[in-house]
Amino acid sequence: MNSRERILGRVRRALADVSRDDTPYEQAVARDYAREHGDRSVPETVDLLAENLADYRAIVHRTDAEGLAGLIAGLLEKRGSASVLVPPGLDEGWLASTGVTRVTDRAESTPQELDRVDSVVTACAVAIAETGTIVLDGSPDQGRRRITLVPDHHVCVVRVPGQVVSSVPQGLERLDPARPLTWISGPSATSDIELDRVEGVHGPRTLEVILVGDA
Amino acid sequence: MSGTFVGMPAFPEAAREAVANKTLRGNLRHATHTIRAKRAKAVTEVSDWAELREAGKRIKDHTLRHLDRYLVQLEESVTAAGGVVHWAADATEANEIVSQLVKMTGESEVVKVKSMATQEIRLNEALEAEGIRAYETDLAELIVQLGKDRPSHILVPAIHRNRGEIRDIFSREMSEWGRPAPEGLTDTPAELAEAARLHLREKFLRAKVGISGANFMVAETGTLVVVESEGNGRMCLTLPETLISVVGIEKIVPTWRDLEVFLQTLPRSSTAERMNPYTSTWTGTTDGDGPSTFHLVLLDNGRTDTLADEVGRQALRCIRCSACLNVCPVYERAGGHAYGSVYPGPIGAILSPQLRGTGSEIDASLPYASSLCGACYEVCPVAIDIPEVLVHLRERVVQGGEVTREGNKVVLRPAKGHAAERAAMRAARWAFTHPGALRTGQRAASRTRRFHPRTLPGPGKAWSGTRDLPPVPAEPFRDWWQRTRGGKDGAR
């Protein structure tokens, strides 16, 4: 008997007390918890996102479609970045105002190559206001998971209010589990040394989120 | 479960040592009180906490009650998404599978994201025996590994270490494992974290094999979920070519939607945050993004035996948040190491004796490592009634009875250490039903009270080792009653 059969057999014997017509899944779980917490207008939801992002030490900026390219250029300049990683599907216009060397996200790039890049600019799939979370799903404007991980500076653009939801349940609804997802709430952090919070252990130490008004 | 720390003494003995360690007690007090207060605040932000807790409990209970069905469904969906599923009945088998998989890649080192399951099966030691070096990449796990130490808390495994000790460990040990600590390293947390970043980045960038656990597995979609803060998890999950995840069979949830409950309750219960900095989900493999080979090792190692116990199976609902540790008055004083397992605190006191059985002295003592105050039950985000299981396990230790071990029903004999207790209870029952003998005995005890020792001799010695004997009054109560009130009130 192989281990698969052995384990499944043990499970079945262990569950001898459970009757065959046990309550089905749909009825077993009460979903009487809230779909979202509180009653907010759309602008209030966006404000809450900004507030919660900042609370976990992300740097939040706001602009409109016209101001976006200038803002991104300014952030890269202020950071002193010499190079920026670009996902294949990133809106061309976003980097129109910066002369910083662009590094294309290629499958062949080694982690060492990525490690030499200063910044990365991406879009996101959805942002969750109540928790201050942005979610990336690997779409062409967000690129491979590693490009937002290895460089020390991540600039993420969120289209508001279109990409903003209130809550975790609403966020999950919009996401496709078949894609690899990365949920980001603030920069990398640890509290492992005497519970003192330190930003940036292995992931980017600086997370800048740009909330850009839908055109 | 073969995770017993070798040579570990029973809980009371280990706890005695820990309680005498002032640094440890100070660290633990600071840690547990800080996290406890923050957690309470994070929970009050969520108005529907009670409903989320109930939903989490029911999802997990339902899954456990149909675990065979969900395991098969998970296997199908992981396979369909490009992963390979392996089944491991115990620690030895799991370690063999992982060792073989690593060897097939031709690599001799792996990077690991913190995982309770791989600690439980002592995977690092097993890999080392096969000539494979496993690097722990969570900052706290790194501190534990470099310090040749054991974790003491589920969430903050190196909480027993001060920053000064951490600096010394880094300065002394990092060069043995790779990039040495920077010259003149100070003990500020930021500098220590930077030293860890530099030391580990070298390993992340060259790693070909990553090993992880998982917080959740979704049967419906085959998705695995890892929740973390530092980004070391993301490094291990995305940079290597091969990813091997070792996960306990109880970590399943039926549907994608179920995550909406646990992604709300887990971060708030463990780190007291609205959301942890990073959550990664992956479903099999994705072309051009992340590992091209994914193996899932489903681990039993005592879980099916735990499932067979109708009272004790609720321990399998645990999502390893560690909230129960931070509220436990016993954990706060005794520390994590005294529990002799990778699962310390209240949850460890019910999980370890079920996963490993109550055969060893340490496991038989764990159900007693509690004051039964119930605080652990109050904070548990999946409502595990830890006190109920503790009492149930105490009964099993004292009285023995039928249990399941490695899938077979066996009859457990009463634990030896409790013979004196049972004898005392029998004697008490006899005395209370024989009033004359009781009176005589009480009078004799009172008259000889000056000669009573502070500790008991013989079999009672262990009992009085942790308590002072109650002083016997100068006069038995019944005599006193007769003398002072009996006559006056004209009682019978």
Side-chain angles (χ1 to χ4, degrees), chain B residues 39 43 46-53 264-265 268-269 381:
Chain B
R39 179 206 155 268
V43 166
V46 185
S47 52
D48 57 342
W49 187 259
E51 288 80 11
L52 284 168
R53 184 178 187 240
Q264 292 191 77
T265 52
R268 288 178 202 265
S269 296

Side-chain angles (χ1 to χ4, degrees), chain A residues 63-66 68 91 94 158-162 212-215:
Chain A
T63 187
D64 54 17
E66 286 81 61
L68 183 58
D91 190 324
W94 291 8
V158 183
R159 293 179 176 92
V160 299
V212 56
D214 283 334

Side-chain angles (χ1 to χ4, degrees), chain A residues 3 33 37 177 188 194 205, chain B residues 48 93 163 194 230 260 283:
Chain A
S3 290
Y33 49 85
H37 299 91
S188 158
E194 297 183 18
R205 270 177 282 213
Chain B
D48 57 342
E93 193 179 4
R163 58 186 74 192
E194 177 69 12
E230 296 175 7
E260 71 189 21
T283 304

Side-chain angles (χ1 to χ4, degrees), chain A residues 36-42 44-45 48 130 166:
Chain A
E36 63 181 291
H37 299 91
D39 192 17
R40 284 177 299 269
S41 66
V42 171
E44 283 169 349
T45 304
L48 182 66
E130 285 180 10
S166 268

